[in-house]
Structure formats: structure tokens, C-alpha cells
Amino acid sequence: MPQITQKSVAPVKSNELLLMQDIQIAHKHKVLLKVESLSLPSQKLVAFIGPNGAGKSTLLHAILGQHTGTGLHIAGHISAQGQPITDVLRQGQVAWVGQHERFELPLTVLDYALLGVSPNLAWYQRPNTKHVSRAQHLLHDFELTALKNDRVQTLSGGEKQRLAIVRALMQDTEIMMFDEPTNHLDIRHQRFLLHYLQSLVRHQHKSILVVLHDLTHANRYTDEVVLLDKGHVVAQGSPKTVMTSERLSKVYHVDIKAHHTEDGLVFV
């Protein structure tokens, strides 16, 4: 887990989800991410954007403490709603879907979805009928009902991605993190997912952090954007404020223009 320093921590803001201070992540002598201070709002859909290698996934892994055995050294302080992030993670308050979910266990689609309730069960308990009903409802929402008795190894890449998201939703946590969740999804399922995450924030007051590569999606669906480049935060704020053509073109090293359409801005 991130090394917790003894320095004083700023008072918690009522709308603050996460506070990262003096974060430095290095591999051997190479610094991968350096963040002096980053405050993320609660009950918002926040996107991390930036070119390959900018530090987006590294930042999420730092929050999650996922560096054991990776050779990474993480220093700094991370708190979630005033608590050390290690305490929040230990209490099972964060749901997570990574880029490379594993589907090696001989489980059916329904059984895999039910793994999401495991953190809330004692070792001798099994999912109850309420859990099964909710899993079936989510499988229906994500168009996986017809596959619920199939082994997970038989699924396509997009089906596995949707199933991993269902498993995370089954945890029903206040904080959710997704690393490139639109990977392997066709455009219809991408739009459905992002609308769904929007709805969780608006109606259930969830706090969601997501890494996105599609700039149009980041602009259209999220409440706040954090733009990273070369391991540093370049800009943070509303999509309208952060995602200017000039700034994006400079960070991505390619000419990027925003075109107005009936559905909003499209970045090309």
C-alpha cells in the first residue's frame, strides 16, 4: 500500500472523495507518476485522459495499492473521505474493474457475477436469493441473460468485459473505479455503459473514476476530467474547461479539433 507519511493532512472538504498528496511512483530510477496534490470530487463521474504512458492506469493502481510484486515504489499520502485509503480498501468500499480481468475459474456467468457479493459474506455464507435476483437483473441489463449458464471461458472479449462490470456492480459500493471499461465493447454497448454510469452518479450518488481513451466520450458523459501527460497532471476541471483543442493537441502531439454536432462535440 502507499507509504503513509506523518505530515499534516488538509481538512476534508464535504464534496471531496479522494485527496492525493506528494505522490511519487517510480520503477528503479524512473519516475512514472508525480502528483503534488490532487483532490477528486465525490458523487461525480471523473475521467482520466491522456496519451499512452501518461500515468492514467498507474494513478488508479496507486489508489488501489496494486503494486505488490511489480517492483514499483510508491510514496505519499492518499485519503478517501478523510480516512487513509488503506482503511477504505480493507473495508471493501471500493469496486474495481481492471484492463485485464481473469476468467480462469470454472464458473458459469451467473456464478461469476455473484463473486461481487463475496467481500460482504463470511467464509461459510453463500449468496442468497436476493443476491441471485439482483445478479440476474444486472445480467439482463447488460444483455447476458442468455449466457448465464455458460462457462465464462466461452465468452467473447466484449461479453467478458460486460460480465466484469456486472461483477463490480454487484459489490454495490459507494466508490467505483474502471480502467478503460469500454475496451472490447461495440459502440452500442459503450454508450449504454457510460449512460449507466451517469445514472449511478445522478440517482444513486455513486462516486466513479474511469480511465477513458475516447475524448468524445470523456467530454459527453463525465462531470470532471483530469488530463495527464508524462506522469504529471496537466489540467483538471470540467470537460469544457480542460478539453480545449489547443491543450489536447499539445498533449497528444497531434492536431485535434472539436466539431459541433446535434449530439454535442465530437473530437477528431
Side-chain angles (χ1 to χ4, degrees):
M1 296 292 182
Q3 177 183 336
I4 306 300
T5 63
Q6 297 301 313
K7 65 171 285 182
S8 60
V9 180
V12 181
K13 302 175 183 177
S14 60
N15 64 338
E16 184 177 79
L17 173 69
L18 284 168
L19 177 63
M20 307 181 71
Q21 294 178 296
D22 299 324
I23 298 298
Q24 181 166 299
I25 303 176
H27 182 261
K28 297 182 179 179
H29 300 295
K30 181 180 180 181
V31 176
L32 304 178
L33 182 71
K34 190 171 184 178
V35 178
E36 291 184 5
S37 181
L38 177 64
S39 175
L40 300 175
S42 64
Q43 299 181 16
K44 300 290 184 182
L45 179 53
V46 180
F48 298 95
I49 63 172
N52 293 337
K56 305 180 297 295
S57 297
T58 301
L59 190 148
L60 285 191
H61 291 168
I63 295 172
L64 293 161
Q66 292 187 346
H67 65 284
T68 303
T70 62
L72 295 180
H73 173 71
I74 302 180
H77 180 92
I78 304 175
S79 60
Q81 298 173 329
Q83 302 180 66
I85 188 64
T86 49
D87 292 350
V88 175
L89 293 170
R90 194 177 301 114
Q91 295 161 11
Q93 296 183 32
V94 180
W96 159 254
V97 175
Q99 287 188 42
H100 308 291
E101 292 290 313
R102 303 180 71 173
F103 294 87
E104 298 170 355
L105 295 174
L107 299 174
T108 66
V109 167
L110 178 58
D111 287 337
Y112 185 91
L114 289 168
L115 290 177
V117 301
S118 297
N120 300 320
L121 300 178
W123 66 268
Y124 55 86
Q125 292 179 308
R126 291 187 54 79
N128 58 34
T129 54
K130 184 179 179 180
H131 296 140
V132 173
S133 177
R134 184 162 188 270
Q136 291 176 331
H137 180 77
L138 286 169
L139 291 175
H140 173 77
D141 285 348
F142 284 82
E143 299 184 353
L144 293 169
T145 297
L147 304 172
K148 68 178 183 179
N149 294 319
D150 293 0
R151 291 297 180 97
V152 294
Q153 292 85 355
T154 67
L155 301 184
S156 70
E159 290 164 346
K160 288 178 178 177
Q161 185 72 354
R162 279 144 54 202
L163 180 56
I165 292 165
V166 167
R167 186 262 307 151
L169 293 172
M170 283 294 296
Q171 292 182 241
D172 197 27
T173 56
E174 295 302 313
I175 305 172
M176 309 188 77
M177 301 184 189
F178 299 90
D179 193 357
E180 300 185 29
T182 56
N183 274 2
H184 308 297
L185 300 185
D186 59 43
I187 185 63
R188 183 169 65 88
H189 286 105
Q190 288 179 24
R191 290 178 179 177
F192 171 80
L193 170 62
L194 293 168
H195 275 297
Y196 196 96
L197 297 182
Q198 265 190 335
S199 178
L200 289 179
V201 171
R202 302 289 185 274
H203 303 298
Q204 298 186 30
H205 309 295
K206 302 290 188 182
S207 299
I208 301 178
L209 309 181
V210 58
V211 171
L212 291 176
H213 274 297
D214 189 307
L215 296 178
T216 299
H217 285 166
N219 181 270
R220 187 169 298 178
Y221 294 104
T222 67
D223 302 303
E224 183 157 322
V225 170
V226 179
L227 176 62
L228 293 105
D229 187 30
K230 299 176 182 176
H232 296 272
V233 175
V234 175
Q236 177 185 5
S238 69
K240 181 179 180 180
T241 302
V242 172
M243 300 180 67
T244 65
S245 294
E246 180 181 4
R247 180 179 284 128
L248 293 175
S249 298
K250 182 177 180 180
V251 167
Y252 283 88
H253 300 287
V254 66
D255 188 31
I256 296 176
K257 297 188 182 300
H259 296 275
H260 291 272
T261 71
E262 293 181 358
D263 297 322
L265 292 178
V266 174
F267 290 80
V268 294

